[in-house]
Amino acid sequence: MELYLQHNTIESFIKSCSNINLAWASLIVEECVRLGFTYFCIAPGSRSSPLALSATGHPLTKCISCYDERSLGFHALGYGRGSRKPAVVITSSGTAVSNLLPSVNHFGTFVRYFFNLPPPGDRINARMVLTTLDSAAYYAMQAPQGPVHINCAFREPLDYTNQHWNVDCLLGLDKWFKNSEPYTKYVRMKTVSALGNYSCSVMEVLEIIEKAEQGLLLVGAIHTDEDMWAVALLARHLSWPVATDILSGLRLRKVVNSLPGLDKSILFIDHIDQILLSESAKNWIRPDVIVQIGSRITSKRVGMFLETSFPSSYILIDRHPCRHDPSHVVTHRIQANVAEFAARLCRCTFQRKRSRWTEFLTILNSVVCQEIMFQIHAKCSLTEPYVAHVIGESLYGDAVMFVGNSMVIRDLDMFGNGWMDYTTNGNNVMTHHFPDFVGTVVAGNRGASGIDGLISTAVGFAVGSNKHVFCVVGDISFLHDTNGLALLNQRAWRKPMTIIVVNNHGGAIFSLLPVAKTTSPQILEKFFYTSHDISISKLCAAHRVKHFLVQTKAELHDALVKSNMEQVDCVVEINNSIDSNAEFHRFMSMFSNYSTSQYLGYLLGVPRFKNEVDAMPVDRIDAVEYMLYSFLHHVLQDYLMVDSFMKDLF
């Protein structure tokens, strides 16, 4: 940086470089900065020395280093997810660059663009370096956004050693030297939107939506406040039931100015996954039109339901052309900006239909929601569904969540509290919000659904988003990426992080899969659960990261309060076991299934309501009391509303 500041202009700096390798590297770094790419992730290496020296010497860059290229790649992925712009990763050749492949896979089929730069030479016009960078940046930012790879071949010397080079290779850069813009500008002509023109295809979609009798709005992963706001407006405009994925930002909602549920114009169906445990509900729901906004859905149960429900029309909207249709049920694919599509659709007038199907589905969601809350809080011990249910309450101010894969994301999707009390002074609420609630940003790595690199990604997400990030992962995921703690230790350009590790000493998700029913305990323990007794507290101590061990509900709440008050990075370890986790999940599923079936039968007038309470399959005596109390409480609470509604209909 001192060398850079000694010169008044970028031209004099580059022309004064001690060798042509540093000149080219400086051109590359400068063009990245002009493109807005100022965050550099540097892995130590000899062959990449010119790039590392140039990046660390530029006054406008932020540089972070890690000895593990795999961790560094995931860190860059997280930064891009949080900031919505790329990070620059610098590695040496050989196996170093190969270790970036796991994080690249999360973007799709390898890189979007590759170019092999020749070794720097006097006879090669340096303009080629700049146009290559500009082209790579353009491909990286096009939908679907993803990584690009430029291979830079440097001969000796790789440091500041003086070696004569001819500055004539810089001819044609006079204008570039005099401004601060990229060499090549990619100008995007604004195309006439098919939605704006209301073409025949779009008119067909609008007609389908207007004629829907049982329409369902399904919201997958969306990433910005603007898109969250737009989808919520669309949901209010359509008056359809809205099933929101945990990564949608609308699954965990913070109540701002009123009590939960007062805004009936948006019919959130938070527990569609648990409702579908009931075979009778699965056979009854049957939407005739589904509109999905955003990418893939977390719940496998919902995915299987979509595969077998065969709606007459399935409309998918996303900003890129890639297919998110594993069940091959999409009938209309619209590539559009989410906010633009929602705004266009909100301009259309749709007749609001009072539907028994919609009201019953809303009531079933309320039933399951109350059942989940009752069972989770009735259990004295600290369970994993309890963690998923209450963790959103710790997201103070502008805090956001990064959630790992495997069991934790499924628990949040199934048991996360849809409505949370939220006290604000008005300064922390996002610019666009409803009078009643704001959404909660939840990010994750669902590209390959793996457990690798999650800590590193979360740290990058914290840097990119500039928010307090709560990262929730399982113990195996944590152990897969302990090198991410080295990145956590470099506290720069970000707010504190809270990493919550659900430690059941193995891969708990396998205990809930069919393989657990047909495989011997010994095989499960060794080859599926990967049981371990590794000390997470000692790993944290080795990296000088604050650690809390919690085993009760009270200890969990205390640890989360302390992590927020002390404003330091910390790891909160929640101790549990695979067997108790599997047992409680089965217990929760049983009650959700039974409550849904009973209520649906009652609503539809099926004469089995009185007799099946005593026939409920239970394996604990106290569960009968819970079920009787909870179920009858629901009935008394909702009877007058349902009875009045049915009279109005018939």
Side-chain angles (χ1 to χ4, degrees):
M1 185 176 296
E2 292 178 358
L3 291 174
Y4 196 102
L5 294 176
Q6 288 173 7
H7 299 80
N8 295 326
T9 66
I10 183 65
E11 180 178 5
S12 60
F13 173 75
I14 290 179
K15 288 182 177 179
S16 68
C17 285
S18 56
N19 56 65
I20 196 169
N21 287 336
L22 289 174
W24 275 42
S26 297
L27 287 169
I28 290 172
V29 172
E30 174 65 21
E31 191 71 349
C32 285
V33 170
R34 294 185 182 201
L35 289 162
F37 310 155
T38 58
Y39 192 67
F40 285 75
C41 306
I42 303 173
S46 175
R47 287 288 160 188
S48 57
S49 296
L51 290 169
L53 292 171
S54 298
T56 55
H58 197 289
L60 299 181
T61 61
K62 296 176 180 178
C63 301
I64 193 169
S65 178
C66 186
Y67 47 78
D68 180 359
E69 290 84 4
R70 177 201 56 83
S71 183
L72 204 63
F74 279 105
H75 180 72
L77 168 63
Y79 175 84
R81 200 171 296 267
S83 67
R84 312 307 300 167
K85 62 182 180 181
V88 181
V89 180
I90 297 175
T91 72
S92 187
S93 56
T95 58
V97 70
S98 300
N99 281 306
L100 297 178
L101 187 59
S103 58
V104 168
N105 273 337
H106 280 261
F107 290 102
T109 308
F110 303 116
V111 295
R112 303 289 185 268
Y113 173 87
F114 169 77
F115 193 86
N116 194 14
L117 281 173
D122 293 345
R123 297 184 179 181
I124 303 174
N125 197 301
R127 296 194 302 271
M128 184 262 292
V129 177
L130 302 181
T131 59
T132 299
L133 260 295
D134 296 336
S135 181
Y138 177 77
Y139 280 102
M141 298 301 290
Q142 291 298 294
Q145 296 173 344
V148 295
H149 177 198
I150 297 177
N151 187 49
C152 305
F154 294 110
R155 300 189 179 102
E156 300 283 350
L158 301 174
D159 54 14
Y160 290 116
T161 300
N162 286 311
Q163 186 180 76
H164 175 74
W165 61 285
N166 192 339
V167 296
D168 288 346
C169 67
L170 302 177
L171 290 175
L173 296 184
D174 295 349
K175 184 178 179 181
W176 183 82
F177 280 134
K178 291 176 182 178
N179 63 44
S180 58
E181 298 179 351
Y183 185 86
T184 307
K185 298 177 183 177
Y186 282 78
V187 180
R188 300 176 186 175
M189 296 293 291
K190 186 168 179 60
T191 57
V192 179
S193 170
L195 286 171
N197 267 0
Y198 288 174
S199 65
C200 293
S201 298
V202 174
M203 289 300 293
E204 178 186 344
V205 169
L206 295 177
E207 187 176 350
I208 289 170
I209 293 174
E210 184 176 12
K211 291 183 177 179
E213 296 292 334
Q214 297 182 173
L216 178 66
L217 182 59
L218 189 63
V219 190
I222 53 179
H223 309 291
T224 66
D225 288 341
E226 181 186 13
D227 286 349
M228 288 164 51
W229 164 248
V231 171
L233 279 177
L234 178 60
R236 173 176 283 178
H237 184 68
L238 288 177
S239 293
W240 287 7
V242 186
T244 54
D245 188 86
I246 187 61
L247 297 179
S248 69
L250 293 173
R251 176 64 179 81
L252 308 179
R253 301 172 298 278
K254 301 175 183 178
V255 180
V256 178
N257 295 326
S258 64
L259 294 175
L262 291 184
D263 186 354
K264 296 295 185 181
S265 58
I266 302 183
L267 308 175
F268 287 109
I269 310 299
D270 293 325
H271 299 290
I272 185 71
D273 177 278
Q274 296 294 282
I275 292 173
L276 291 173
L277 284 165
S278 165
E279 285 296 324
S280 56
K282 194 184 302 181
N283 294 328
W284 170 78
I285 292 176
R286 301 297 171 184
D288 59 350
V289 176
I290 295 175
V291 174
Q292 179 180 338
I293 295 178
S295 55
R296 58 184 291 185
I297 304 300
T298 298
S299 169
K300 185 176 180 181
R301 190 173 293 114
V302 172
M304 293 175 66
F305 168 73
L306 297 175
E307 184 175 350
T308 58
S309 63
F310 298 111
S312 59
S313 297
Y314 195 123
I315 304 163
L316 175 61
I317 299 96
D318 213 337
R319 68 177 69 228
H320 58 72
C322 294
R323 185 172 63 174
H324 286 297
D325 183 23
S327 302
H328 311 288
V329 293
V330 172
T331 60
H332 298 77
R333 179 67 167 85
I334 299 177
Q335 182 184 351
N337 178 284
V338 173
E340 183 180 79
F341 172 82
R344 301 280 185 180
L345 210 59
C346 285
R347 294 175 192 169
C348 303
T349 302
F350 299 108
Q351 181 182 358
R352 296 195 174 192
K353 305 171 184 176
R354 192 176 185 189
S355 164
R356 184 177 76 157
W357 183 81
T358 298
E359 293 290 342
F360 283 10
L361 189 55
T362 306
I363 291 171
L364 289 180
N365 182 73
S366 177
V367 168
V368 173
C369 177
Q370 292 181 55
E371 193 64 63
I372 286 173
M373 290 181 65
F374 182 85
Q375 300 301 339
I376 281 177
H377 289 284
K379 183 81 170 176
C380 294
S381 60
L382 177 59
T383 64
E384 295 181 28
Y386 177 86
V387 174
H389 190 70
V390 304
I391 198 65
E393 298 171 1
S394 301
L395 302 181
Y396 307 105
D398 64 348
V400 296
M401 186 181 296
F402 184 91
V403 59
N405 291 322
S406 197
M407 202 67 233
V408 292
I409 191 170
R410 289 169 174 82
D411 275 350
L412 275 163
D413 197 51
M414 289 188 291
F415 305 121
N417 188 0
W419 293 104
M420 298 170 289
D421 291 329
Y422 180 59
T423 304
T424 176
N425 57 12
N427 295 326
N428 295 323
V429 182
M430 64 184 182
T431 303
H432 300 300
H433 63 84
F434 284 108
D436 299 336
F437 69 89
V438 294
T440 299
V441 173
V442 181
N445 281 355
R446 295 298 288 166
S449 300
I451 61 171
D452 191 17
L454 294 172
I455 302 298
S456 301
T457 308
V459 177
F461 182 69
V463 176
S465 65
N466 193 31
K467 297 182 184 297
H468 184 169
V469 172
F470 280 73
C471 172
V472 187
V473 296
D475 52 308
I476 301 299
S477 298
F478 183 87
L479 296 177
H480 254 273
D481 194 28
T482 53
N483 282 345
L485 294 176
L487 288 166
L488 185 71
N489 231 341
Q490 299 182 56
R491 177 71 182 280
W493 315 298
R494 65 172 175 82
K495 295 180 179 180
M497 285 187 63
T498 302
I499 299 176
I500 299 158
V501 184
V502 180
N503 186 6
N504 43 45
H505 306 279
I509 192 170
F510 292 103
S511 65
L512 302 176
L513 299 180
V515 67
K517 300 177 182 178
T518 58
T519 307
S520 68
Q522 293 79 11
I523 297 296
L524 284 173
E525 285 282 337
K526 185 174 182 180
F527 296 103
F528 289 91
Y529 296 165
T530 54
S531 300
H532 67 89
D533 58 358
I534 298 173
S535 171
I536 289 178
S537 64
K538 291 182 179 178
L539 285 172
C540 292
H543 288 273
R544 301 183 304 282
V545 176
K546 192 174 185 66
H547 172 269
F548 295 100
L549 176 64
V550 302
Q551 301 183 74
T552 67
K553 293 178 179 179
E555 289 176 350
L556 173 62
H557 286 279
D558 289 345
L560 294 177
V561 169
K562 287 179 181 177
S563 72
N564 181 67
M565 292 179 59
E566 295 178 5
Q567 291 291 296
V568 295
D569 296 324
C570 67
V571 171
V572 177
E573 179 187 355
I574 298 170
N575 198 33
N576 211 315
S577 73
I578 290 178
D579 291 340
S580 63
N581 176 62
E583 178 188 1
F584 192 63
H585 273 83
R586 284 191 289 267
F587 183 75
M588 294 288 295
S589 296
M590 177 184 70
F591 277 102
S592 293
N593 179 1
Y594 190 76
S595 296
T596 302
S597 299
Q598 287 294 299
Y599 248 101
L600 182 60
Y602 168 70
L603 293 171
L604 296 177
V606 178
R608 58 176 184 168
F609 168 67
K610 295 181 180 179
N611 298 327
E612 290 198 2
V613 174
D614 296 329
M616 180 186 64
V618 295
D619 55 5
R620 288 171 38 175
I621 295 176
D622 59 345
V624 177
E625 295 179 2
Y626 291 160
M627 185 60 198
L628 274 171
Y629 170 82
S630 177
F631 181 59
L632 293 177
H633 173 71
H634 297 334
V635 173
L636 290 172
Q637 188 178 50
D638 291 332
Y639 174 77
L640 292 177
M641 178 183 69
V642 175
D643 186 55
S644 174
F645 174 71
M646 293 181 72
K647 286 178 181 177
D648 290 342
L649 285 177
F650 305 110

